[in-house]
Amino acid sequence: ARLMESGGGSVQSGGSLRLSCAASDIIYDGSCVAWFRQAPGKKREGVAVVAKDGSTDYLESVKGRFTISHDVVKRVLYLQMDNVEPDDTGTYTCASDPLGPGCSVTTTPFGRWGEGTQVTITS
């Protein structure tokens, strides 16, 4: 299965964006799915994860501003980004098929990745 992101773009600080990630077929493990981001010159970091039971985990700096959700039937993962800040700029990538137990934004490794979508926040 391929993961394909969409919804990236440029928005002013304080604005909103909604990212989507669609799985191309049913052969993927959606028990824990995630959004990561990487800013220029920085390491990739986990932004949010959602488990099959609906539980979520977020990067501390996005708590209260970002919301992750997963339409299991449609196999689409979303990231609603509100009140965005310049530090949210980066390439956002979705991931599925966890390689270990649990569903953590900081520790769960993933086996399947999308190609990424660029998000640019202007001040």
Side-chain angles (χ1 to χ4, degrees), residues 56-123:
T56 57
D57 189 19
Y58 292 92
L59 179 69
E60 190 64 34
S61 63
V62 308
K63 284 182 180 178
R65 300 188 297 118
F66 290 10
T67 303
I68 188 171
S69 60
H70 186 202
D71 188 325
V72 177
V73 174
K74 294 182 178 179
R75 302 187 303 278
V76 181
L77 177 68
Y78 301 98
L79 184 69
Q80 178 67 40
M81 305 168 61
D82 296 318
N83 193 23
V84 294
E85 303 169 352
D87 283 349
D88 295 323
T89 293
T91 299
Y92 284 69
T93 306
C94 59
S96 69
D97 298 57
L99 300 176
C103 193
S104 166
V105 72
T106 55
T107 62
T108 300
F110 292 88
R112 194 180 306 278
W113 297 82
E115 294 185 356
T117 185
Q118 178 65 35
V119 171
T120 302
I121 311 301
T122 58
S123 56

Side-chain angles (χ1 to χ4, degrees), residues 18-71:
R18 189 191 195 204
L19 306 183
S20 299
C21 168
S24 62
D25 59 51
I26 63 174
I27 307 175
Y28 94 120
D29 182 354
S31 60
C32 176
V33 287
W35 284 100
F36 286 76
R37 70 184 181 190
Q38 186 168 19
K42 295 186 177 181
K43 290 177 58 175
R44 184 170 62 191
E45 61 183 356
V47 175
V49 297
V50 57
K52 202 171 185 179
D53 65 0
S55 59
T56 57
D57 189 19
Y58 292 92
L59 179 69
E60 190 64 34
S61 63
V62 308
K63 284 182 180 178
R65 300 188 297 118
F66 290 10
T67 303
I68 188 171
S69 60
H70 186 202
D71 188 325

